[in-house]
Amino acid sequence: MKAEPLVPVGPVMPGRRRLVVIGSGIAGLYAALLATDAGASVVLLTKGGLDHSNTWYAQGGISAVLDEPAPGDTAAAHITDTLQAGAGHCNADAVRLMCTQARHDIAGLQRFGVHFDLQPAGSPALGLEAAHSAPRILHAGGDATGAKVAGALIQAVLSRKAAGVLTVITNAHATSLLHDDGTITGVEFLKGGNRAELRGDAVLLATGGAGRLFAQTTNPAVATADGLALAVRAGARTADLEFFQFHPTCLVRNAGPASSGLAGEPLLISEAVRGEGAVLVDGNGKRFMRAYHPDAELAPRDVVSRSIALHLAKLGDPNGHVYLDARVIEAARGAGFLARRFPTLTEKTLAAGIDWTRDLVPVAPAAHYWMGGILTDLHARTSLPGLYAAGEVACTGVQGANRLASNSLLEGLVFGRRAVEDFLSGDFGWGSPEGAPPHARSAAGGLPFTHASGAPSGDHLSVTFPAASAGAGAGSGGPFGGVPASSGGSIDVETPFWRDALRRLMTAKAGVLRDGVLLQEAAETLGRWAAVVLPGTAAAGADPREHEDRNLLLAAQLLVAAALERTASLGAHYRSDSPADAAGIADELQEHSRLRPKASLVRD
Ligand code: FAD
Ligand code: SIN
């Protein structure tokens, strides 16, 4: 069958390289803009609308030490805080690079039209979040940072698209990576029920995370581990997959006085609310965090989530919730403060039937951010020539075993930009000795780092339908058909594969509190499902959901295998059967806080 052009694109200037960017979160949007403005031929492909991303929902902000930081703050303090929160598991070079280069990419965002909130005197308003030793969180629209940042970047993308210098393909679901002799040369995707191919000189995966692996998550529907699964199937190395961060304060919807409307939509209650002084109390109205860590509600995120889980278990209510008391902020800062500082949260909690100036907010930990991902070096290069990865899908090692709040948007910016710089530099650098961080682990028979040879570069951007339409098999039942969406009850040996069952399994057996028995049970169930679903190969059908299901199952298997392998607790990976736990987390964490220097003691 003759190939039909899917997207009309003009000829490419001789000598220009083509970068295919997959994903329209902060990493993909920013990288696409930088590469376009540098003269590259760029195609930005994303599976929904441009605004469908985790980035859109970010609240707290972006951490960065600017030229005029808060008194006593320094990039060195940011580095120390990041390493500290990461529980000693970070790649220190990557952390140093990210924290020292942050100010340049904040300026980069501003050039693309992003405006951060200012103090009355005109300097940036800097928020404080847990485990930061100084206020250094830039925010926009109060608690609407993600929507404001992504909104401005999307406008910049659309203006370049209108000018004919950037190609954008929305509702295009990447299903596999194309390769030629071990070099990644493009992507196959689904659009409108048809399969298409897109070739380029390099591919940047910026497909975000995988919160949808768990039943309780802060992540929107797009976070289904697609990029990770595509890369693993192509042979890329991964690292740190056992480390999944659970945010301590996700709204528990069915617990409010008048639960309503937005049922099912996750609502994160930003850590910035605790940064402004909100405290956690249990069902008896008792503040409990001080018993677990000297920094109480502002302890590192993994500590707060784990403490909530342990406290609830101690109270005999392991599946219960605690409460966030934001009323104390309003009492201290005056009526109207919460609505001014957190307008989105004020509106959304009210819509859920909670007036947080008067009511406690029921909250519980929920899956939030994957520290692990596709292993990359300091230039965002994966182990596969021609393939870059940036943002949450990547594992640069900056987030260690537990990400410091508001460091994710920053990572996407810094390493998205570094991918573009490497791409533009021309030699693609694969095979350089700088390669993989030392904590590298091969998850799926990763290919060795070899120099990219003969990356394709024709004169026209080829976006084509191959001969075979992908329609066959869509909705045809198979392992995905005929299973009720919420089968309820526990997961036993009879439970067939279904996304909801997978998510419940992961929350129950590979969540905040883990042990070897639970993980082994999870591995067995996942293995049983995998024998039928075959997640090691991409789905053949044209239903994107079928592809997502396989991707989630593959990602779950990799996560659980990594969690089984790491028998000691570290950061967000907490095993109650860990020998190191005998001393209790309070001791371990008091030690961390002793080690943390004050911001004023360190200098750039
Ligand atoms: P994303 O923003 O998730 O974008 C991924 C993109 O890839 C999406 O456009 C998606 O549609 C696309 N995609 C995925 N699969 C495919 C496919 N198969 N084919 C084509 N396209 C695909 N971090 C902070 O630093 N500060 C915060 O304040 C903050 N608040 C947060 C609040 C919430 C509620 C959540 C969920 C996260 C928050 N985070 C925050 C984390 C942060 O938002 C994310 O880690 C970050 O936005 C990830 O950016 P990204 O560009 O890597 O991916
Ligand atoms: C939040 O606002 O609490 C989320 C910040 C983050 O995930 O970094």
Side-chain angles (χ1 to χ4, degrees):
M1 181 193 282
K2 189 171 176 295
E4 298 291 335
L6 178 63
V7 180
V9 271
V12 175
M13 300 294 287
R16 282 177 77 193
R17 285 212 183 85
R18 293 171 194 133
L19 180 63
V20 177
V21 179
I22 308 178
S24 59
I26 194 162
L29 291 168
Y30 186 59
L33 287 166
L34 291 174
T36 301
D37 287 4
S41 166
V42 179
V43 182
L44 175 61
L45 182 146
T46 193
K47 74 175 171 181
L50 284 171
D51 57 347
H52 294 183
S53 65
N54 272 10
T55 298
W56 188 268
Y57 295 92
Q59 295 178 5
I62 309 181
S63 57
V65 177
L66 303 176
D67 292 336
E68 289 179 41
D73 196 16
T74 61
H78 190 186
I79 292 167
T80 304
D81 293 347
T82 302
L83 295 171
Q84 191 72 45
H89 193 65
C90 301
N91 175 343
D93 290 339
V95 171
R96 197 171 307 114
L97 196 149
M98 179 181 78
C99 296
T100 54
Q101 297 190 353
R103 65 190 79 184
H104 304 301
D105 290 301
I106 295 301
L109 278 186
Q110 289 166 327
R111 279 198 299 280
F112 289 128
V114 173
H115 298 287
F116 292 103
D117 294 338
L118 301 176
Q119 291 177 326
S123 56
L126 298 172
L128 177 68
E129 286 180 2
H132 284 272
S133 57
R136 60 169 80 97
I137 316 300
L138 292 152
H139 47 85
D143 53 0
T145 306
K148 294 284 181 192
V149 169
L153 295 180
I154 289 169
Q155 283 312 310
V157 161
L158 292 177
S159 75
R160 283 154 183 79
K161 180 186 175 210
V165 293
L166 170 58
T167 302
V168 177
I169 312 178
T170 53
N171 300 305
H173 192 108
T175 52
S176 61
L177 295 168
L178 303 171
H179 55 87
D180 196 0
D181 284 341
T183 295
I184 298 301
T185 57
V187 60
E188 190 171 277
F189 63 98
L190 291 168
K191 184 167 169 68
N194 292 299
R195 185 176 296 174
E197 285 181 4
L198 176 61
R199 298 272 169 183
D201 294 278
V203 172
L204 169 60
L205 273 177
T207 47
R212 292 279 160 162
L213 276 171
F214 294 89
Q216 274 85 42
T217 179
T218 64
N219 289 195
V222 290
T224 52
D226 296 355
L228 180 93
L230 265 60
V232 165
R233 289 191 197 108
R237 290 180 186 173
T238 60
D240 292 349
L241 296 180
E242 64 273 42
F243 300 112
F244 208 107
Q245 180 171 78
F246 295 83
H247 195 292
T249 54
C250 188
L251 177 71
V252 176
R253 285 195 180 275
N254 57 9
S259 165
S260 72
L262 303 166
E265 289 278 316
L267 178 60
L268 177 88
I269 310 292
S270 176
E271 199 156 273
V273 180
R274 276 174 284 134
E276 295 289 358
V279 296
L280 289 164
V281 297
D282 62 22
N284 304 316
K286 185 170 168 269
R287 197 175 164 194
F288 58 90
M289 268 309 301
R290 284 202 184 111
Y292 293 88
H293 192 276
D295 290 344
E297 285 80 5
L298 293 181
R301 194 172 280 176
D302 59 330
V303 178
V304 181
S305 285
R306 192 157 51 241
S307 304
I308 292 171
L310 290 168
H311 192 69
L312 286 169
K314 209 165 88 183
L315 295 180
D317 187 17
N319 298 316
H321 56 267
V322 295
Y323 296 90
L324 188 70
D325 187 352
R327 302 171 305 183
V328 291
I329 305 180
E330 194 90 342
R333 310 288 287 270
F337 179 84
L338 283 172
R340 279 196 307 280
R341 174 68 178 88
F342 301 110
T344 312
L345 280 173
T346 299
E347 187 192 314
K348 289 192 173 173
T349 46
L350 272 177
I354 299 165
D355 174 356
W356 67 342
T357 65
R358 294 185 318 172
D359 305 325
L360 296 173
V361 184
V363 291
H368 185 59
Y369 178 88
W370 208 349
M371 274 74 72
I374 306 165
L375 180 68
T376 56
D377 67 10
L378 298 180
H379 302 279
R381 299 182 293 230
T382 71
S383 60
L384 297 181
L387 183 66
Y388 295 96
E392 191 169 339
V393 73
C395 179
T396 59
V398 289
Q399 315 295 4
N402 172 57
R403 174 171 67 89
L404 182 67
S406 289
N407 265 358
S408 173
L409 296 173
L410 179 61
E411 183 190 8
L413 287 174
V414 172
F415 289 94
R417 188 230 329 134
R418 289 181 68 83
V420 171
E421 286 170 350
D422 195 69
F423 173 75
L424 294 170
S425 76
D427 69 358
F428 292 174
W430 268 274
S432 85
E434 229 180 303
H439 58 289
R441 179 191 309 109
S442 175
L447 299 180
F449 278 73
T450 51
H451 191 75
S453 61
S457 187
D459 286 333
H460 292 79
L461 181 60
S462 58
V463 186
T464 54
F465 290 119
S469 161
S476 60
F480 306 102
V483 184
S486 56
S487 45
S490 64
I491 293 150
D492 57 31
V493 288
E494 301 299 322
T495 310
F497 175 73
W498 185 256
R499 191 185 295 198
D500 285 357
L502 172 87
R503 296 178 64 189
R504 283 186 288 116
L505 178 82
M506 292 297 284
T507 288
K509 300 190 190 287
V512 181
L513 306 179
R514 301 169 173 173
D515 67 35
V517 173
L518 289 176
L519 290 168
Q520 191 55 45
E521 286 169 3
E524 281 162 20
T525 304
L526 293 169
R528 185 167 55 76
W529 287 337
V532 180
V533 177
L534 306 179
T537 54
D543 179 358
R545 203 173 156 85
E546 192 181 333
H547 288 263
E548 290 178 349
D549 283 339
R550 275 194 197 203
N551 296 339
L552 285 167
L553 180 52
L554 178 59
Q557 283 193 289
L558 294 170
L559 187 157
V560 168
L564 269 168
E565 202 177 298
R566 187 176 291 282
T567 52
S569 296
L570 186 68
H573 171 66
Y574 176 77
R575 285 191 52 158
S576 55
D577 55 350
S578 161
D581 189 53
I585 57 167
D587 290 353
E588 170 207 333
L589 292 158
Q590 297 217 10
E591 178 64 15
H592 276 191
S593 70
R594 262 202 304 280
L595 293 173
R596 185 187 314 160
K598 294 276 176 279
S600 56
L601 299 181
V602 282
R603 293 281 172 267
D604 278 333

